[in-house]
Structures are given as structure tokens and as C-alpha cells.
Amino acid sequence: MDPKMLFCLPEGDALFNPLNTMFIQMACILVFSQFFYLFLKPCSQAGPVAQILAGIVLSLLTIIQKVHDFFLQKDSASYYIFFSFLLRTCFMFLIGLELDLDFMKRNLKNSIVITLGSLVSCAIIWIPFLWFLVRFLHIKGDILTLYVAFLVTLSNTASPVVIRSIIDWKLHTSEIGRLAISCGLFIEMTNIFIYTMVIAYISGKMTGDIFAYTFATVVIIFINRFLASWLPKRNPKEKYLSKAETLAFFILILIIALTIESSNINSTGFVFLIGLMFPREGKTYRTMINRLSYPIHEFVLPVYFGYIGFRFSVHSLTKRHYLLVLCMIVALSMVAKLLGVLCACLFLKIPKKYWLFLSTILSAKGHIGLVLLDSNLTYKKWFTPIIHDMLIATLVITTLLSGVISSLLLRTQEKGFSHQKTSLEFHDTKEELRVLTCVYGVRQARGLISLISALNGVSSSPFTPYLMHLIPLSKKRKTELLYHELDEDGVNSNGGDDEFGTNEGLEINDSIDSFTRDRKVMIRQVKRVALMENMHEEICNGSEDLHISIVFLPFHKHQRIDGKTTNDGEVFRDMNRKVLKQAQCSIGIYVDRNITGFHQLHAFESVQHVAALFFGGPDDREALSLCQWLINNSQIHLTIIQFVADGSETENLVGDAVTKENNDVLMEIVGNDQTNDETDRTFLEEYYNRFVTTGQVGFIEKRVSNGEQTLTILREIGEMYSLFVVGKNRGDCLMTSGMNDWEECPELGTIGDFLASSNMDFLISHMTHITI
């Protein structure tokens, strides 16, 4: 074969053709963007700003004639348009996959109102400017399409830019970050729909095609659902689908996208819909996220953003009057977005500290604007090189200003946007509860998954559970394989995950899939590979990045089948202690004895009896606050057991005695002794009035005079409950006096240490306690 043919040379007399130079441009963009990112990251600038700047630098280099001839060859635009189509098909499908549907459903009204406010504001402001622009550029005919093109291009929000920026700022799990992403997607999809409908109406030819492609998209969605459930059954022992099976999904998407684009219809909305409706559980979903996330976020999006900057033309800024018009367009675009978003935020009563940030980040442009400039607009009479360069310059400048201003707002209001130290005591059950459970293997995962199932009792309460698989990384690996030759668990894929040769990751996935099928609740999986001495930092940083309400850690001991307790290692205990000291949220240590079946809660209909032990203090209030999410679970019967120092004076009764079906006596709450904290009494009174008087929760009062009597009561009730929820309670207390003489695990507190003691003469299934 002729070597020149390997370079796809049409004439055979040139070393490079547009296809080859395009890949060289991509390499330059990646290098320049990394260079800019290293300098801009300390200034809190997001990746898209650096990547667009990299494209601008590459565009400026084309001023040199030899560089211009090399990068801007004949017919190169066709290569760029097709390659940009491939890139946007990839990331729009991934955006649909990763979108938080639960949050979008809860905030549907907010997203729609902000979208309408933005579009209406831009539509009104662009009317007088359109009159000026038509006379300034002497445009005749096609005024409606000109107005729609300017409205869509300049009022649009580039959702990929917003998403990538929000992720870089670590706001993608916060309320304001997810709201910005939802609004960006709503604005973008609305603009696509408006422009497509207007063009279809004017041409009179595309209306039938749109309905046909919509039907074809629905067919692809159903095919994906079938394949997503069928393919995992072919290789049940594999953790992920094969690469060929993964490619099958992407080929289907490319076929429908290419067919739609061939009819001069934008395929972005259709591809996004396919990703949005993709099944969000099981092996197939994990495979798609695992295979697509890294290359798209680290390669596809940087190249696409760099391509936006590369389209920027310096010649559009050389003439003074055109530069003035450009500045007016940029200013009007940002002012229109600001007014529309501010009015919507005022109507929705969104906190004022978020108003400017939302309006500026939603001013980011570049995605749909480029798509429209490369497709339908080229056939319009008013579409001239001047308007093309002006629109491109507007997109680039507005996006850069949006990123810079948004990052400055985040720096000046860092406390308002950062994750604050949280407490369940002041956390309303109507607010989203974000739970992070940490596991080392399937043994801890099964128990903690059952705890997630128990906490999901309030159907009307937003609930987002995460499971973090902690994989300790040994300092010296026995294998000689390179790191990239290991699997994602950091181990040799041929040797198994542990000394027994079992696949812990696969078993954890199977447990999660079983739970998802039973409860219809999606557990989001996170994986952390680190040295054990640094694992606590991974947990603390992860809890802050994910805006977690409470973290559950596995106890460093576990109970064997024969009933004896085995220590998993002091390194795990040290990690728990470090997390307790450094975490910015509530921490629960979960002691799982795996005896009475609480770990099978989500698979059986049996009622589990749970006891909350209350001695007083902030830790016990925090533990009792956690129980609010257990109350409405039909499989949970909660009983509060209050320990009161014998001899304390009583005050007025708070409520009448109530009896439940299981004969647990709900006794009266009486006033505390004068030495007790008034906060405890107020908290318990409110709890009693809300839940005990309605019959939802049982209440038992136990009067004790010393720690020995407390131990006796704990031994009596030990086999009555499958789960104990207790506070840490470090302070000295008459009711626990003498109990810490045989203390083994002080990080659990006095009561928690006794319940988890290996010297106990009775069996308790689980024990969970909360500390702040």
C-alpha cells in the first residue's frame, strides 16, 4: 500500500490533509488548556474558561500565514462540523445519563419558572435591538428567522459549560448547583424546540420528519431498556459489560443521530432524551457511566470547548463600529439574562445570595449557538460572514465573562456556597436527607443497605443514599503489573479481590441491584482507593463534596457465625476515630451482629423492633433525630426508652399514656430533674407531641440510680430489639456511673461501648450510634 494513502491524501502531494491537522489541533488544545488550567485553578476558574482560552490562542496563531495554511485548509470546515457532531452526541448522551432526575422532579416548577423568565426577558429586550440591527446591517427579508436565530443563540445557556463548571467548583451535589444544571438544560432544550418548530413551519417539509424521528427515538429507548436487562444475564459473574456490548448501545445512538442530522434537524434533544430514559440501575448503567465519564469529561468536552474558542475570529474586532455592536450584543445578552433570572428568583423566593450566581452562570453559551450557525443559518439571506463572526465572538466573550464573574462570586461568598457543618437535630424531614455509607466489602454492605432501606420510610421526604466502597491500597504491591493494568479496585484482576478469591465488588453490586429492585431506590456508588492512613481524608472530603447529612462507618469488629467477635484491624478503628474528629457532618458507627435478620429488612415483610435510648445530651438528641426517618417505615416499630435518674422531681405531665398493639407501654413524659438540661426536655416534649401522642412511636421510661441498674435493664431488653440507636455521651452521668471501668472502645461512648462489647452475655443484632 502506498504510504501516502495512510494519511488519507486526496492528491498524494501534501503531507497533511484537514483530517490529520484536525487531530493535531486537538492535541494542541489539550496541551494549551492544561497549561492555562494550571495557572487559573488557584483563581478558582473552571475548566471551560481555560479550554476556550486555549482555542483562542490557537486561533490567534493562525495570523501567521504558514500556521493559517496548515490549520485552515480547504474543506476543513466539513471535518470540524462532523467531528463536533460526534463530540456533542457523546456528551449529550452522558448528560442525560448523569442527570439527577429526582432533584429535577422536585424542582420542576423552579426550573420552568427560571427558564420562562429568562426567555421572556431576552425576547422583549431583543425586539428594539433587532430594529437597530436590521437598519445597521441593511438586512432585508427573513426577519422572523433572524429574530429567532438571535434569540436562540444569545439567550441560550450552554448546559455542557454549566455542568463542567459546576463540577469543577464541586457544587454538583449542592442545591444551587443542581438547580443551575436543571435550569441550563431546560433553557437549552426549550431553545432547540423553538428553533426546530419555527424552521419546520417555515420550510413546511420537516414537520413529518420530526414526528417520525420522535417515534424512532422512542423505539431506540425501548431497545435500550431490553438490552440493559438482557445483556447482564449473559455473563452474570462479570462486574461490567464487555466493550463490544457497550459499543452496541453507542452504535444505535449514532445511527439515529446521523439519520436525524441528514434531514437538517438538530439531534441534540433526541440524543439527550435517549440518555435521560436509559435504565438507571444494574450492571448496564454502571458500565455506561464507568466507560463514558472519564473520556468525555477529560477529552471530549475540553476539545469541544477549545473548538468554541478556535472559531473566534480576530478580524471581527478590527472595525470600530462592528466592535461597538459586538459590545452592545454582549451587554444586552447578559443584562437580559440577569433581569429574567432575578425576577424568577424573586417570585420563587430563592435566597438572595444565589441570584447573581444563577444569572451569570446561566449566561454561558457556545453549544447550541455553534450547532445553529453550522446548520440551518447558512441558507438564510441575511447570514453573512460579518454576522457569523459577530455571533461567534459574542458566544466566546459572553462565556468567558460568565465563567470569570461566577468564580469571583463564589470566592467572595465562599461561606454561603460551601458545605456547612450539619446536624440532624435541626434538619427538617421535608428537606433532602443525604446519607453516605462506607463499606470495605459485602459483609458491611448488606447491613448498611438494610439501614438505608429503613431510613427510606418517609416516602414524601427527599432521600439520596450513597455507598462508598473503601479499598485500602497497600504500600507495596506483590504484583509486578503496572497500575493501569489492575482493575478499578486496584488489584490484579486474575487474582481476585482478597485472599479467598471472591469478587467483593461484584457481590456489592448484586446486593445493591437486589435492593433497587425491591425498594425502587437508587443507591449511588462511589469508590475510593487510598492508603489506610489517608482514608479518613477521602471520607471527609467525599462527605463535603457530596453535601452529606450523615455518614455511617462500619465498626472495626464483626461477629462470626459461631458468635465470637473478630477484630478486623486497629487501622480501621484509627480511621473511624479520625473521621469522628474531622468530619463536618453527623457520624454514625454501625455495629452489625448479623443475628436476628435486620440486614434482610428490604427483602422480607417482617416487622423490626428498634429502640432509641435517651439519656440526655446533644448526641442523644442527634440519635433521636435520626429516628424521625424510621417512623413512617411500615416495617419499623420504634420505641423510645428514656433513662431518668431515680429521685428526680417531676413536673406537669406532657401527654397521656398511649398503648400500642405490641403491648409496649407508652408512659408519660415527666419533667426532668433540675440538674437536667432544659434543651433535652423541650426537645423530648416536641418529639412526644409529634409522634408519641399519635401512636406512631412507643415510649418507655426507666428510672435508675446508678450504672449497675442501667446494665441490668440493658440485659433485660437486649433480645427484644433488633436495632439500638444511641448517642455517644462522653460526659459523666449518674445513670452510667461505673460502666466505663471495662471500657474497650471509648469512641462509641459508654452505652455504645457496652452494647458492642465482646464480653456481653446476650446477643444484639445491630447497634448504631450518632456523634457530632
Side-chain angles (χ1 to χ4, degrees), residues 575-628:
M575 187 208 70
N576 288 350
R577 288 174 171 175
K578 293 176 181 177
V579 174
L580 285 170
K581 292 180 180 179
Q582 300 182 19
Q584 294 297 307
C585 63
S586 300
I587 303 295
I589 296 182
Y590 191 79
V591 181
D592 186 1
R593 292 186 177 274
N594 263 355
I595 299 297
T596 63
F598 186 81
H599 63 287
Q600 298 176 344
L601 177 66
H602 64 279
F604 295 91
E605 296 300 327
S606 58
V607 176
Q608 300 288 324
H609 297 279
V610 179
L613 308 182
F614 189 86
F615 291 83
D619 291 345
D620 280 6
R621 294 197 301 271
E622 191 75 359
L624 203 56
S625 298
L626 175 67
C627 294
Q628 295 180 75

Side-chain angles (χ1 to χ4, degrees), residues 327-338:
C327 294
M328 291 176 60
I329 295 176
V330 172
L332 287 175
S333 176
M334 299 197 70
V335 169
K337 185 77 69 173
L338 175 66

